[in-house]
Amino acid sequence: MDKIRDKNLVQFGQHVKKIRESLNLSQDQVAANSNLTKSNISMIESGKRNLAFTTLIELAKGLGKTPKELLDFKFDLDE
């Protein structure tokens, strides 16, 4: 992966983790509310997984948020 894409995956993961923690949810709880595993959620939050659209939907479902809310953060696209 190139550096910009890696950086954006890390930023997205940090954003997702911040949302999860603000809701006082564990990764296990998000997994139980979706069709994702705790391992997948961990990899997304650490920026190690480039997720598919269907995974984004499942992640939003697990957090009780819309996909739009998960993507509502500043992307660093100018580099």
Side-chain angles (χ1 to χ4, degrees):
M1 278 189 243
D2 61 48
K3 288 186 183 220
I4 293 172
R5 190 163 90 176
D6 287 347
K7 186 175 181 181
N8 284 321
L9 287 174
V10 170
Q11 289 174 333
F12 175 73
Q14 290 170 343
H15 178 67
V16 168
K17 183 176 181 177
K18 189 184 305 181
I19 290 171
R20 178 180 60 76
E21 289 176 342
S22 75
L23 297 168
N24 293 315
L25 293 173
S26 69
Q27 289 178 344
D28 286 319
Q29 289 170 308
V30 175
N33 293 332
S34 67
N35 287 324
L36 301 175
T37 64
K38 180 181 177 181
S39 175
N40 281 337
I41 295 163
S42 176
M43 289 177 68
I44 291 167
E45 287 184 322
S46 65
K48 295 178 182 171
R49 176 138 191 256
N50 192 0
L51 57 149
F53 180 71
T54 53
T55 304
L56 175 66
I57 292 170
E58 284 299 317
L59 185 58
K61 179 176 138 185
L63 292 166
K65 298 289 182 179
T66 65
K68 180 181 176 182
E69 290 173 291
L70 298 187
L71 294 172
D72 190 14
F73 71 100
K74 179 155 175 44
F75 286 88
D76 204 1
L77 302 175
D78 295 328
E79 294 183 16

